């Protein structure tokens, strides 16, 4: 049987989607497990799997409406049809190529069924899905927490891959770079560019910038100038580099040796300095206190759904609850290592109040030595809640491309 052009990329996309849906992996981890593809084919496979995850509920609705035979959610037939629809909607792949590359993926399975369903869908016409539904449980949680407008905004945002945000070591360089390369600067030391390959961008090897969503750059902006800072759960190091570039003395702690190695490489590329410590922040004893502590705690990462749509399928209530308990423990440890009068900045890239607001409320209820200090030194578009913390929701700066969902709170220890 002659080989079909592009089939290798589609097989890889099928393997990635299966690893995410059934195996609970991140798309990055699933992609890293693929070997033997040329870089363009690997990139295509990641793009196809990613597009399938962006519109999965709507794709499933189309599939169910085109067959009387219910396909199990994790069946190969459904996975293949999801990938075909993803290519149609997200990548504009011609119909003949969809059919030619889909059918070989179900060899040994219900090939005739897949052929029939796909043919029906293509004849009916596949809608553009500019505001696809999110998983039902996610929509219910976010509607309860943030309202219908936030759910609507999240639907619009997940349909499109986001622009690329860069953080610069020097704010003046950021302004010049934005003007020269057709970007925009939404905050000091920030540049937003249309999505593209990072390594191909001008200045990558020079190390004057690094990739970091604008929302993720907010916590480090709250650290007082000239501080000796403890950066917990630091890798891969965007906030560490921010702190070092701002002139702070930084001790960066992370439990993952491989992630710290990546941070070390980033520091070398950017010619910035920080002390790196491989340790579990819950058990590590620094032996002294710091002027400031930045805790970017492990979380469900649901706020990153624009870039990582698979988080919406991985972040189940049990995982959210486990993370919230871990965050509470990390916060208790971090508080001990802060000098009187010092700032403890806590953040999570989550849209779950259980992992943000609830953790801070509980901590302040237990420890009367700390109080919440609203930020006054952030860009004007950043909303500060009546309680005094920052909550970034879908829809903020939507015209400019939006932001990741984020929660940030600055606590100050009594002097």
């Amino acid at each position: 049987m002659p080989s079909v052009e592009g089939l290798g990329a589609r097989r890889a996309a099928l393997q990635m989607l299966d690893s995410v849906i059934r195996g609970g992996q991140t798309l990055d981890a699933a992609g890293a497990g693929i070997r033997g593809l040329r870089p363009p084919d690997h990139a295509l496979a990641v793009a196809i799997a990613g597009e399938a995850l962006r519109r999965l509920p709507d794709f499933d609705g189309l599939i169910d409406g085109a067959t009387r035979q219910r396909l199990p959610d994790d069946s190969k037939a459904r996975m293949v049809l999801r990938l075909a629809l993803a290519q149609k909607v997200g990548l504009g792949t011609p119909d003949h190529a969809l059919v030619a590359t889909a059918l070989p993926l179900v060899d040994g399975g219900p090939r005739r069924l897949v052929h029939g369903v796909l043919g029906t869908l293509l004849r009916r016409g596949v809608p553009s899905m500019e505001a696809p539904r999110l998983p039902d449980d996610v929509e219910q949680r976010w509607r309860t927490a943030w309202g219908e407008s936030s759910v609507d905004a999240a639907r619009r945002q997940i349909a499109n891959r986001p622009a690329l945000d860069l953080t610069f070591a020097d704010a003046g360089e950021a302004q010049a770079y934005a003007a020269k390369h057709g970007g925009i600067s939404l905050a000091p030391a920030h540049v937003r560019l249309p999505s593209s390959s990072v390594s191909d961008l001008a200045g990558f090897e020079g190390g004057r910038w690094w990739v970091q969503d604008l929302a993720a750059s907010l916590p480090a902006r709250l650290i007082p100038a000239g501080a000796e800072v403890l950066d917990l759960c630091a890798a891969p190091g965007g906030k560490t580099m921010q702190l070092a570039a701002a002139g702070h003395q930084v001790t960066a702690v992370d439990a993952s040796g491989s992630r710290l190695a990546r941070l070390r490489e980033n520091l070398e590329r950017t010619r910035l300095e920080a002390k790196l410590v491989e340790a579990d922040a819950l058990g590590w004893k620094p032996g002294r206190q710091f002027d400031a502590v930045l805790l970017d705690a492990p979380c469900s990462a649901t706020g990153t759904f624009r870039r990582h749509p698979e988080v919406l399928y991985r972040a189940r209530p049990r995982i959210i609850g486990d993370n919230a308990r871990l965050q509470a423990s990390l916060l208790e440890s971090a508080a001990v290592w802060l000098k009187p009068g010092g700032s403890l900045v806590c953040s999570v890239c989550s849209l779950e109040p259980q992992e943000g607001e609830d953790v801070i409320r509980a901590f302040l209820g237990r420890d009367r030595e700390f109080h919440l200090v609203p930020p006054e030194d952030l860009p004007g578009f950043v909303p500060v809640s009546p309680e005094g913390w920052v909550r970034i929701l879908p829809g903020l700066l939507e015209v400019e491309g939006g932001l990741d969902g984020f929660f940030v709170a600055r606590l100050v220890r009594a002097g």
Side-chain angles (χ1 to χ4, degrees):
M1 182 177 179
S3 62
V4 177
E5 184 178 358
L7 184 58
R10 274 71 174 187
R11 288 195 188 281
L14 179 61
Q15 182 178 335
M16 291 179 196
L17 188 60
D18 184 72
S19 295
V20 170
I21 299 298
R22 291 203 306 148
Q25 292 188 16
T26 65
L27 187 55
D28 286 345
I34 302 296
R35 298 286 186 269
L37 282 182
R38 297 181 303 115
D41 288 333
H42 193 280
L44 176 59
V46 172
I48 294 171
E51 290 296 333
L53 290 162
R54 291 181 185 281
R55 298 173 175 85
L56 206 65
D58 282 358
F59 288 161
D60 283 345
L62 289 177
I63 293 167
D64 291 340
T67 177
R68 295 179 180 178
Q69 180 177 338
R70 168 70 188 180
L71 302 177
D73 289 344
D74 59 355
S75 66
K76 180 180 285 189
R78 184 179 289 274
M79 296 283 192
V80 170
L81 288 166
R82 288 164 170 169
L83 294 175
L85 291 171
Q87 294 170 75
K88 177 69 175 179
V89 175
L91 304 178
T93 305
D95 291 359
H96 67 86
L98 295 180
V99 176
T101 54
L103 296 183
L105 298 181
V106 285
D107 278 348
R111 183 180 176 124
R112 181 177 298 179
L113 173 62
V114 169
H115 195 181
V117 172
L118 184 54
T120 298
L121 292 171
L122 295 177
R123 285 192 300 273
R124 290 177 178 176
V126 180
S128 61
M129 301 181 190
E130 295 179 356
R133 291 180 295 129
L134 310 179
D136 289 343
D137 59 332
V138 175
E139 289 203 355
Q140 183 177 359
R141 285 202 314 268
W142 292 359
R143 186 177 292 111
T144 300
W146 315 121
E148 194 68 46
S149 62
S150 290
V151 173
D152 290 343
R155 286 176 171 178
R156 292 190 297 270
Q157 289 185 345
I158 200 172
N160 302 296
R161 281 169 284 182
L164 185 66
D165 282 350
L166 308 180
T167 297
F168 278 70
D170 180 85
E173 288 186 32
Q175 291 284 350
Y177 194 96
K180 183 177 180 180
H181 297 283
I184 58 173
S185 181
L186 299 172
H190 167 266
V191 172
R192 173 163 290 183
L193 299 169
S195 184
S196 61
S197 173
V198 174
S199 59
D200 292 339
L201 291 176
F204 175 76
E205 294 299 336
R208 299 304 296 165
W209 53 260
W210 52 93
V211 176
Q212 184 181 38
D213 188 82
L214 178 54
S217 77
L218 299 178
R221 297 174 187 267
L222 296 182
I223 300 296
E228 193 174 16
V229 185
L230 177 60
D231 183 10
L232 295 174
C233 310
K239 298 173 185 67
T240 305
M241 291 183 285
Q242 270 186 281
L243 295 168
H248 300 294
Q249 297 179 50
V250 187
T251 299
V253 180
D254 200 277
S256 170
S258 60
R259 286 166 60 86
L260 274 181
R262 181 179 171 190
L263 172 51
R264 186 173 292 105
E265 292 172 359
N266 285 331
L267 288 170
E268 291 172 356
R269 183 178 66 84
T270 55
R271 299 179 180 87
L272 296 170
E273 294 184 359
K275 179 182 178 182
L276 305 187
V277 178
E278 181 179 347
D280 183 342
L282 287 177
W284 180 63
K285 305 294 183 185
R288 60 190 178 91
Q289 294 178 317
F290 295 80
D291 301 324
V293 177
L294 175 56
L295 172 61
D296 186 39
C299 68
S300 64
T302 51
T304 68
F305 71 92
R306 300 179 309 142
R307 303 176 194 279
H308 305 288
E310 74 274 13
V311 299
L312 301 183
Y313 300 92
R314 301 178 68 243
R316 300 304 184 192
R318 180 183 59 79
I319 291 176
I320 294 169
D322 288 346
N323 279 320
R325 287 184 285 275
L326 174 59
Q327 292 153 15
S329 297
L330 286 167
L331 193 53
E332 296 288 349
S333 294
V336 175
W337 305 331
L338 185 68
K339 292 179 180 178
S343 294
L344 171 55
V345 176
C346 312
S347 63
V348 286
C349 55
S350 168
L351 280 164
E352 315 303 328
Q354 188 177 350
E355 294 181 293
E357 289 85 345
D358 292 355
V359 171
I360 296 302
R361 285 194 188 98
F363 175 78
L364 292 174
R366 291 190 303 270
D367 196 326
R368 301 298 182 181
E369 194 178 5
F370 283 81
H371 60 281
L372 192 66
V373 177
E376 67 285 334
D377 40 7
L378 289 177
F381 64 81
V382 177
V384 179
S385 72
E387 295 89 348
W389 50 57
V390 171
R391 166 52 78 183
I392 305 296
L393 293 173
L396 184 65
L397 294 185
E398 186 171 356
V399 173
E400 293 83 3
L403 300 172
D404 282 352
F406 235 85
F407 172 85
V408 188
R410 177 168 61 189
L411 311 177
V412 173
R413 187 173 189 175

